[in-house]
Amino acid sequence: MIELLLTSFPVLIRYIQLRLRGEAMTIWNMKTALYAWACLAFALFVTIFYFHPKSYTGLVPFRTISVVAQANGPVTEVAVENGQAVKAGDLLFRIENSSQTAALTQAKAELAQLDAAEAKAKDALTLAKASVTSANASLAKLQQDLDQAQTLLDRNVGTQDKVRELEAAVISAEATREAAKAQTDVAETDLSQSIPAQRAVAEAAVQRAQVELDHTEVRAYADGTVTQMAMSVGSPASQLVLRPGMVIIPERGEDAHLRVIAGFPQVARATLYEGMPAEIACESNLNLSNRDAVLPAHIVAIQPAIASGQVTPGGDLLEPSARATRGSILVYFELLHPEHEAIMLDGSGCIIQTYTNRLPGVFGHVISATGVVKAAGLRLKVWGALIAGVGLGGGGH
């Protein structure tokens, strides 16, 4: 409508001429003006719609966190309710944990047994070292007696039997000493290798049992709001991602900028570019005063591929005719003013109007100026949607 009014001046001029001449207005004397009007309107329509593409598919995307259990069993406690705000680490619900508690108690008992075994090995090492000391002393005494007996025998004072008896005693004492050393080695090996290895296994078992017990307490992994809670005390805890016990809508990160996405027709690819100015009008922001209903934004990224052309490995060969639906170009927008992010409702549907402003020369300035028509049309549509109460409906792009 606005475009038709802007291009109607040839008809108005011709109409004034006919009135000044006193001639009646007919289709024959108005045909040139009407033809000029049609050409101007067509040129203006093409210019405006080509260089300032619009999309009705704008969306404020957001993610959700599906809360599922990591352990089987009935729910014994539900610590939250629908609509409750939670912080990361807050308890959501508990699961019956008698078997996990028993497993942890057993693992800790086995670890305590290793403490006793280590104390016993230390005592055995002390005893073995004392035995080695005693055996060394006995061996030294017997060796001295053997030397004396051998000296007496050499002087024809002693007897051969005494020497042989002492030699046997020395050999026995050496064996006793070696046995005591072996006991020392065994005790040292237990303390330095066997018991530490067993302790590592026992500690891992305790940690595993503790983890299993911790799994019976489901806590929030992020700040957010609980919704769609489908559990109560006594109900079985769901471990299926497709059937979560509840859903958490996480809060927006302070450092992450809100992005709005929209799909544009493929023919707009030659017009869209990063940094391109735009305006975003979301249904959840409509109001009678039109305040903060249309927000300035700009393009920050354009997806380099069209989703409908994605091919995944499969048993069937690709048949292009089966993909008759043409995909759209996915474009990402960010608001120019970060303070506007607070008034954007996650999941809201939006109309996005873009404006070309980088064409050179006088023609480029003219193209940029025609964007005011689309800007006015966007605001009229916002008011119309508000008055009609049907939202920012629209077809196509």
Side-chain angles (χ1 to χ4, degrees):
M1 181 63 68
I2 297 177
E3 293 88 343
L4 294 177
L5 292 176
L6 291 176
T7 57
S8 62
F9 62 88
V11 175
L12 295 176
I13 294 174
R14 182 58 176 166
Y15 172 76
I16 294 173
Q17 288 179 345
L18 293 177
R19 289 299 300 270
L20 293 176
R21 294 176 184 175
E23 299 180 11
M25 185 175 63
T26 65
I27 189 66
W28 299 107
N29 56 22
M30 290 289 295
K31 61 181 179 180
T32 302
L34 290 174
Y35 178 75
W37 182 23
C39 291
L40 289 174
F42 177 77
L44 186 60
F45 268 102
V46 171
T47 300
I48 293 177
F49 281 88
Y50 178 78
F51 288 102
H52 310 292
K54 178 192 293 185
S55 174
Y56 289 91
T57 62
L59 181 66
V60 183
F62 68 98
R63 296 183 180 275
T64 59
I65 300 175
S66 298
V67 180
V68 296
Q70 297 183 358
N72 291 318
V75 176
T76 59
E77 178 186 354
V78 179
V80 295
E81 58 185 17
N82 269 323
Q84 180 176 335
V86 295
K87 296 293 184 181
D90 287 352
L91 176 66
L92 301 178
F93 62 90
R94 285 191 175 95
I95 304 170
E96 198 280 326
N97 61 1
S98 58
S99 61
Q100 290 84 354
T101 302
L104 179 59
T105 302
Q106 180 181 355
K108 289 182 177 180
E110 293 176 354
L111 184 60
Q113 287 180 349
L114 285 177
D115 293 336
E118 183 177 10
K120 183 178 179 180
K122 289 180 179 179
D123 293 339
L125 177 61
T126 301
L127 181 60
K129 288 182 177 180
S131 298
V132 170
T133 302
S134 177
N136 286 331
S138 298
L139 179 60
K141 178 66 172 60
L142 290 172
Q143 187 65 48
Q144 185 179 5
D145 292 344
L146 177 60
D147 293 340
Q148 291 178 356
Q150 185 65 45
T151 301
L152 293 175
L153 180 63
D154 292 341
R155 296 177 181 178
N156 294 323
V157 177
T159 63
Q160 185 68 35
D161 292 338
K162 184 65 175 179
V163 172
R164 291 176 179 174
E165 180 182 352
L166 290 173
E167 287 178 347
V170 168
I171 294 174
S172 177
E174 289 177 346
T176 301
R177 183 184 64 177
E178 294 302 322
K181 287 183 177 181
Q183 291 295 328
T184 302
D185 293 339
V186 170
E188 289 178 345
T189 301
D190 287 342
L191 289 172
S192 63
Q193 298 181 15
S194 299
I195 293 179
Q198 295 174 15
R199 181 181 295 278
V201 173
E203 289 176 349
V206 171
Q207 291 178 359
R208 183 170 59 253
Q210 184 65 55
V211 169
E212 293 298 330
L213 180 60
D214 292 341
H215 284 170
T216 62
E217 292 186 353
V218 180
R219 299 182 178 273
Y221 285 96
D223 300 347
T225 303
V226 176
T227 185
Q228 295 185 12
M229 189 170 67
M231 63 165 48
S232 60
V233 175
S235 62
S238 174
Q239 292 182 284
L240 301 177
V241 177
L242 297 180
R243 298 183 61 184
M246 64 183 68
V247 174
I248 293 179
I249 301 176
E251 296 180 358
R252 298 172 187 163
E254 295 181 358
D255 299 331
H257 289 290
L258 175 69
R259 286 192 172 186
V260 181
I261 61 174
F264 285 81
Q266 297 183 28
V267 294
R269 181 66 184 91
T271 307
L272 300 172
Y273 56 89
E274 293 185 7
M276 187 177 190
E279 288 184 322
I280 298 177
C282 297
E283 292 192 25
S284 57
N285 290 351
L286 298 186
N287 58 81
L288 189 60
S289 66
N290 215 23
R291 179 180 176 84
D292 292 332
V294 180
L295 305 177
H298 65 284
I299 296 177
V300 293
I302 301 175
Q303 185 168 282
I306 297 174
S308 62
Q310 183 178 4
V311 178
T312 57
D316 299 330
L317 295 177
L318 177 64
E319 178 53 61
S321 62
R323 298 176 178 267
T325 302
R326 299 294 184 182
S328 58
I329 299 174
L330 183 62
V331 183
Y332 296 84
F333 296 84
E334 284 187 2
L335 299 175
L336 287 182
H337 306 294
E339 59 270 19
H340 286 162
E341 296 182 4
I343 65 175
M344 298 289 279
L345 183 64
D346 291 339
S348 180
C350 309
I351 293 180
I352 299 181
Q353 177 64 61
T354 61
Y355 304 98
T356 296
N357 68 344
R358 69 174 187 179
L359 296 177
V362 177
F363 178 75
H365 291 296
V366 173
I367 296 299
S368 299
T370 58
V372 70
V373 176
K374 299 292 283 184
L378 176 62
R379 284 155 176 80
L380 289 175
K381 187 170 185 63
V382 169
W383 268 28
L386 179 64
I387 296 172
V390 297
L392 292 173
H397 298 278

